[in-house]
Amino acid sequence: MKRMTEPVLLVVFGASGDLAKRKLIPAVYHLAAQNLFPAGFTLLGYARTDYSDDAFRALAEKGLREHMNAEHDKDGIDEGFWTAFAQNLFYQTGQYDDPASFQALAQRIRTLQQERQTPNLLFYLATPPDVFEPITALLHEMQLATPQEQGWTRLIIEKPFGRDLKSAEALNEHLLRRFQEDQIYRIDHYLGKETVQNILVFRFGNGIFEPIWNRNYIDHVQITVAESLGVGDRGGYYDESGAIRDMMQNHVMQLVALTAMEPPVAFDAKAVRDQKVNVMHSIRRLDPSGVRDHVVRAQYEAGLVNGKPLRGYLETQGIAPHSTTDTYVAWKLEIDNWRWKGVPFYLRTGKAMPTKLSEINIIFRKPPLLLFENLYDQFHLPSNVLTMRIQPDESIVLSFDAKRPGPIVEVDPVEMSFNYSASFGQKPADAYERLLLDALLGDGTLFIRRDEIEVAWDRVTNLLLGWETEQTAMRQAGKRLRLPQYPAGTWGPSEADRLMARDGRYWRNVKP
């Protein structure tokens, strides 16, 4: 059954930027093409770049065509539909911290609302994080943050949400002085991906797997979020964040929460998010002095990715020659609760790796009597593995061992595989489509609540403090910290392999 939104005016801050062109406007177009918007749906772009309404529509069309080419969309743009759809796009030029600009914006919003009968407002902050506070402060000052009598007002805010626990708490306090918690939708686009959403269905909707999703049957869990690209021309930004802030605190921690959470009492926003928060509270806090024993960080050096040379991180423009910013992080995370006690979660994320890959591997315990152990490499004794792949090919694969046909006993690994595109005859929709539609419908299930953000930052901030303590000690001793290096196009440093090997385990690396 289709979920139809109410008439709404969507205001996109940063509308001339890359995120709006690549993701948001294509998502709005596809939702409209599926008849999920009523008459009167309106998008008002706002940014510092000076455009007219027509120039913005041309920019949006260019971005949509590029997006469809990149996604290999065979259908392309429906020219007749686009001509009608484009008339719903408008643009307002202004600064992000200027009251006069926001007075003009407020007047434009009220005019469009009256003309197009759109009482509801959704603000989308597709901007750098340094303007989150001035934008939301001025929205409140112009009385745009308070819902009108006949409609609602909501706010979507992109990551990064703070740089550590203290800054995340400060941003939350700032927002909650101007908006109610149920108005705020903190977005992590990973939660809109089909396989991520399917984790809950797979876990709690299947009688085969629900009973074995615990320490009695699972040996350990591996979560990998790998990117094949280097930092490119984002060196200046990336050197201020690193892999821990860019990926681990948000995407990877969300995957941990969904993989490890207890069953919610209902499939609604409060129940699901309550259980995610509960499991995050159960993540063992590392003492800063013990970070080195559980976490490895590294930087990529020059190498080949997909046969093409890539210069090392420290050789990249915008990167300080002695930078200690991590481009790779591996973390042995432990959850102290009844379900997961003694089951380590090995997390890793990195840039300049052999392939773009995001997946969760559930490695089950070995059988109690290994009748066929003489047929295996002793370090790689068989385990059944359930792989939930989020990208590039959204799928779920169960691997197990079977006897090869023949007169002697030879054992080979085999797979049972489910692929979204093959099974349902269509490519999964882009994550932004699902999340944008949910926000328009007021469904916060796949968005991140204040306490989720802060608990995740609490655990990650301890790692940051540990690294800061280590760097300070080396500086006081007259030494310079240099992170372990890994060649671009490989799966990370040897130190990360040793993190697993000392537990008698190994990373499950995919061949590119």
Side-chain angles (χ1 to χ4, degrees):
M1 184 176 70
K2 289 187 177 181
R3 302 184 298 166
M4 177 70 73
T5 69
E6 300 175 72
V8 64
L9 172 57
L10 170 61
V11 182
V12 178
F13 292 95
S16 62
D18 190 55
L19 176 62
K21 288 184 289 186
R22 286 192 308 108
K23 294 294 184 181
L24 299 184
I25 291 173
V28 170
Y29 172 86
H30 287 300
L31 290 171
Q34 296 172 66
N35 295 316
L36 295 174
F37 294 152
F41 175 84
T42 307
L43 188 153
L44 174 62
Y46 183 94
R48 290 176 289 220
T49 310
D50 190 10
Y51 287 115
S52 65
D53 290 344
D54 286 339
F56 177 61
R57 290 164 184 164
L59 179 75
E61 182 180 3
K62 180 173 182 290
L64 181 60
R65 292 186 186 278
E66 290 172 352
H67 169 82
M68 287 184 162
N69 288 335
E71 296 294 317
H72 308 293
D73 190 322
K74 295 179 182 178
D75 297 330
I77 290 181
D78 180 320
E79 301 295 342
F81 180 79
W82 168 257
T83 299
F85 172 78
Q87 300 310 304
N88 299 311
L89 307 183
F90 301 87
Y91 188 83
Q92 182 78 17
T93 303
Q95 300 299 312
Y96 295 129
D97 57 356
D98 175 38
S101 294
F102 272 71
Q103 286 176 351
L105 173 64
Q107 183 57 50
R108 186 78 186 276
I109 287 172
R110 290 173 182 130
T111 299
L112 285 171
Q113 284 187 299
Q114 185 174 10
E115 291 176 352
R116 300 177 65 82
Q117 298 297 298
T118 53
N120 304 301
L121 277 174
L122 176 60
F123 298 108
Y124 198 121
L125 271 58
T127 63
D130 59 350
V131 295
F132 289 170
E133 292 194 11
I135 289 173
T136 49
L138 284 168
L139 287 176
H140 180 262
E141 186 177 323
M142 301 299 154
Q143 298 182 339
L144 292 170
T146 305
Q148 301 174 25
E149 281 187 23
Q150 302 299 320
W152 47 256
T153 299
R154 297 174 187 142
L155 172 75
I156 299 180
I157 187 164
E158 278 278 350
K159 76 175 187 76
F161 198 94
R163 285 183 46 81
D164 52 22
L165 177 59
K166 184 177 180 181
S167 59
E169 288 176 333
L171 180 54
N172 273 327
E173 289 296 332
H174 169 88
L175 293 174
L176 291 168
R177 285 195 297 270
R178 295 158 175 87
F179 294 83
Q180 299 296 316
E181 174 63 32
D182 62 5
Q183 291 180 274
I184 303 170
Y185 291 71
R186 301 170 189 83
I187 195 169
D188 183 335
H189 73 272
Y190 258 53
L191 296 181
K193 293 182 179 291
E194 288 289 353
T195 306
V196 174
Q197 297 173 54
N198 203 44
I199 293 171
L200 299 183
V201 176
F202 187 86
R203 285 188 57 191
F204 303 126
N206 290 290
I208 298 175
F209 295 103
E210 188 278 327
I212 62 173
W213 209 269
N214 56 57
R215 59 187 171 84
N216 296 322
Y217 298 96
I218 294 175
D219 178 78
H220 70 281
V221 178
Q222 295 183 28
I223 298 178
T224 297
V225 178
E227 297 180 280
S228 58
L229 299 176
V231 297
D233 57 4
R234 296 171 66 233
Y237 160 77
Y238 193 88
D239 208 42
E240 294 295 319
S241 60
I244 190 78
R245 290 185 172 97
D246 190 44
M247 299 294 281
M248 187 68 76
Q249 183 275 331
N250 40 71
H251 298 336
V252 180
M253 291 292 274
Q254 286 297 314
L255 297 182
V256 171
L258 290 169
T259 304
M261 64 183 272
E262 295 298 317
V265 296
F267 192 65
D268 61 36
K270 183 179 186 306
V272 170
R273 295 194 289 187
D274 283 349
Q275 294 300 342
K276 286 168 65 183
V277 171
N278 286 345
V279 79
M280 284 190 177
H281 275 297
S282 299
I283 294 173
R284 185 178 301 173
R285 298 177 83 249
L286 294 180
D287 186 279
S289 63
V291 166
R292 177 182 282 272
D293 296 331
H294 291 80
V295 184
V296 172
R297 60 177 179 147
Q299 295 171 335
Y300 66 85
E301 58 189 4
L304 293 175
V305 180
N306 297 323
K308 297 180 180 179
L310 180 67
R311 68 175 63 183
Y313 180 72
L314 296 178
E315 302 160 6
T316 303
Q317 184 176 359
I319 306 299
H322 302 297
S323 171
T324 57
T325 297
D326 44 275
T327 66
Y328 174 98
V329 175
W331 179 3
K332 179 184 175 181
L333 177 148
E334 296 175 90
I335 298 176
D336 291 330
N337 66 12
W338 195 269
R339 181 182 293 267
W340 297 110
K341 185 67 173 178
V343 179
F345 282 60
Y346 297 96
L347 321 177
R348 62 176 172 173
T349 184
K351 289 210 171 269
M353 305 195 84
T355 187
K356 184 179 179 67
L357 177 75
S358 296
E359 68 179 23
I360 301 164
N361 284 293
I362 310 296
I363 293 84
F364 292 95
R365 293 189 181 277
K366 296 179 175 67
L369 184 62
L370 294 172
L371 297 175
F372 310 106
E373 61 183 316
N374 61 315
L375 302 178
Y376 299 93
D377 171 355
Q378 291 302 300
F379 187 68
H380 294 77
L381 288 172
S383 291
N384 300 133
V385 180
L386 178 70
T387 300
M388 292 180 281
R389 182 161 296 163
I390 298 154
Q391 60 183 13
D393 299 313
E394 296 186 87
S395 57
I396 300 176
V397 178
L398 179 64
S399 68
F400 56 96
D401 290 303
K403 178 187 173 296
R404 178 191 290 272
I408 61 174
V409 177
E410 291 183 296
V411 177
D412 276 345
V414 294
E415 294 181 344
M416 290 193 296
S417 178
F418 155 70
N419 180 280
Y420 273 89
S421 298
S423 295
F424 294 118
Q426 64 183 47
K427 187 177 179 180
D430 185 85
Y432 278 95
E433 289 182 39
R434 170 62 189 270
L435 295 172
L436 186 56
L437 181 62
D438 281 359
L440 290 167
L441 293 166
D443 183 352
T445 305
L446 299 177
F447 294 85
I448 305 170
R449 205 167 60 191
R450 172 187 182 166
D451 46 358
E452 281 186 73
I453 287 276
E454 293 181 1
V455 176
W457 265 125
D458 175 76
R459 301 310 189 259
V460 168
T461 298
N462 273 15
L463 309 190
L464 298 172
L465 290 174
W467 296 340
E468 186 179 316
T469 300
E470 178 186 21
Q471 193 158 337
T472 300
M474 293 194 71
R475 191 163 49 242
Q476 291 173 345
K479 300 177 182 178
R480 177 178 289 146
L481 176 65
R482 179 175 169 81
L483 296 187
Q485 305 288 295
Y486 61 99
T490 65
W491 282 107
S494 58
E495 288 83 352
D497 294 332
R498 290 197 289 272
L499 179 71
M500 294 280 280
R502 72 189 184 202
D503 295 337
R505 300 182 176 106
Y506 61 95
W507 293 108
R508 304 188 64 84
N509 295 330
V510 173
K511 292 182 181 179

